């Protein structure tokens, strides 16, 4: 260790009490984190790219500083989906610090990693007060049946009003309007369920019908429109 002459010539002043870092909540315990291996948590981070064209939601399950599970969800940028494929392969097995200093291919994914790191090391994780944390596989539970990201896509103009395109339930096929042309419900098809039906042997048409549903007062509508064409 090299010291400047100014420091070399200083006298020693004794250090007072040193209680270490403040404990943070981790998987149902209070932990004083000194090293990366002291960190265990499951949580999410949201990131964006420089032009803010696309965004990423990154979910990591960290045990003893090692990433055991990664879920990468992206929206708004076609190239980002390919970057996510690479990131999902890169992340598992790395330490949290390694991942923070690894190029995860896409600006938005790198930003999500940074935001997630801050939450985890400050004890703001989803599993902070869950005894023994969340099992590996918890990321898939966030996706629900069919293992599809929950996406909402809505579009509106002053001239023509709103169009519902995709809800958490699925792809919106029709919007129901009342006598005042206000939205009172919608019809949707769950693409995940439809695909599962087809894989089990149903014809595409049968699978499509079985995967359809409605929300709101769709049956009471006086007019139905295709949000993508009308």
């Amino acid at each position: 260790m090299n010291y400047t002459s100014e420091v070399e010539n200083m006298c020693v002043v004794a250090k007072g009490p040193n209680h270490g870092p403040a404990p943070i909540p981790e998987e149902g315990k209070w932990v004083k984190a000194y090293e990366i291996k002291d960190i265990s948590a499951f949580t999410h981070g949201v990131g964006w790219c420089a032009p803010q064209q696309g965004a990423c939601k990154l979910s990591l399950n960290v045990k003893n500083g090692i990433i055991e599970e990664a879920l990468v969800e992206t929206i708004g940028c076609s190239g980002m989906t390919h970057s996510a494929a690479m990131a999902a392969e890169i992340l598992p097995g790395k330490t949290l610090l390694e991942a923070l200093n690894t190029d995860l291919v896409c600006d938005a994914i790198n930003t999500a990693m940074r935001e997630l790191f801050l939450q985890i090391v400050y004890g703001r994780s989803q599993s902070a007060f869950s005894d023994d944390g969340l099992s590996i596989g918890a990321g898939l539970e966030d996706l629900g049946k069919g293992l599809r990201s929950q996406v909402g896509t809505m579009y509106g103009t002053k001239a023509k009003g709103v169009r519902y395109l995709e809800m958490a339930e699925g792809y919106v096929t029709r919007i129901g309007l009342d006598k005042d042309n206000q939205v009172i419900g919608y019809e949707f098809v769950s693409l995940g369920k439809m695909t599962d039906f087809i894989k089990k042997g149903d014809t595409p048409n049968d699978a499509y019908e079985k995967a359809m549903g409605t929300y709101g007062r769709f049956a009471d509508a006086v007019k139905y429109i295709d949000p993508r064409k009308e």
Side-chain angles (χ1 to χ4, degrees):
M1 189 74 68
N2 295 320
Y3 295 94
T4 64
S5 58
E6 290 83 359
V7 174
E8 286 280 9
N9 293 326
M10 289 178 180
C11 65
V12 176
V13 176
K15 187 175 183 178
N18 179 13
H19 301 299
I24 61 174
E26 288 185 25
E27 302 191 337
K29 300 182 291 290
W30 289 97
V31 177
K32 287 189 174 184
Y34 290 90
E35 302 176 42
I36 285 295
K37 66 180 178 61
D38 296 328
I39 300 294
S40 294
F42 176 88
T43 201
H44 321 275
V46 174
W48 52 94
C49 55
Q52 299 191 30
Q53 176 187 353
C56 167
K57 175 190 168 190
L58 176 63
S59 305
L60 297 184
N61 202 343
V62 179
K63 303 289 186 183
N64 303 315
I66 304 292
I67 297 170
E68 298 288 348
E69 175 187 19
L71 171 65
V72 192
E73 299 174 85
T74 66
I75 190 168
C77 172
S78 57
M80 196 185 296
T81 61
H82 295 265
S83 300
M86 298 175 71
E89 188 171 355
I90 291 169
L91 285 165
K94 285 189 176 293
T95 69
L96 200 55
L97 194 58
E98 280 182 298
L100 186 68
N101 289 286
T102 296
D103 182 5
L104 299 175
V105 188
C106 167
D107 237 8
I109 304 174
N110 286 319
T111 303
M113 182 67 223
R114 180 194 71 200
E115 297 298 308
L116 182 150
F117 179 86
L118 292 175
Q119 289 183 202
I120 286 184
V121 297
Y122 286 124
R124 271 65 171 180
S125 70
Q126 181 177 326
S127 60
F129 298 102
S130 302
D131 286 340
D132 298 322
L134 300 180
S135 302
I136 309 304
L140 294 180
E141 293 177 7
D142 274 12
L143 296 178
K145 292 182 179 179
L147 301 185
R148 285 178 57 85
S149 296
Q150 297 186 61
V151 177
T153 308
M154 315 299 158
Y155 178 74
T157 59
K158 180 181 176 182
K160 299 296 182 179
V162 72
R163 298 294 186 276
Y164 300 170
L165 301 175
E166 184 126 7
M167 292 284 192
E169 300 96 329
Y171 177 100
V172 177
T173 53
R174 289 189 297 167
I175 297 174
L177 307 179
D178 65 10
K179 60 183 176 60
D180 299 318
N181 280 338
Q182 293 184 349
V183 179
I184 59 171
Y186 54 88
E187 177 187 69
F188 62 87
V189 58
S190 172
L191 298 179
K193 288 181 180 179
M194 185 180 77
T195 304
D196 286 341
F197 287 140
I198 292 172
K199 287 192 290 187
K200 290 177 181 177
D202 287 358
T203 66
N205 283 341
D206 287 344
Y208 180 79
E209 293 295 331
K210 288 170 67 174
M212 294 192 78
T214 63
Y215 184 85
R217 295 186 291 118
F218 185 78
D220 299 331
V222 299
K223 181 180 180 182
Y224 298 100
I225 65 170
D226 180 336
R228 291 169 175 78
K229 294 183 178 179
E230 297 176 75

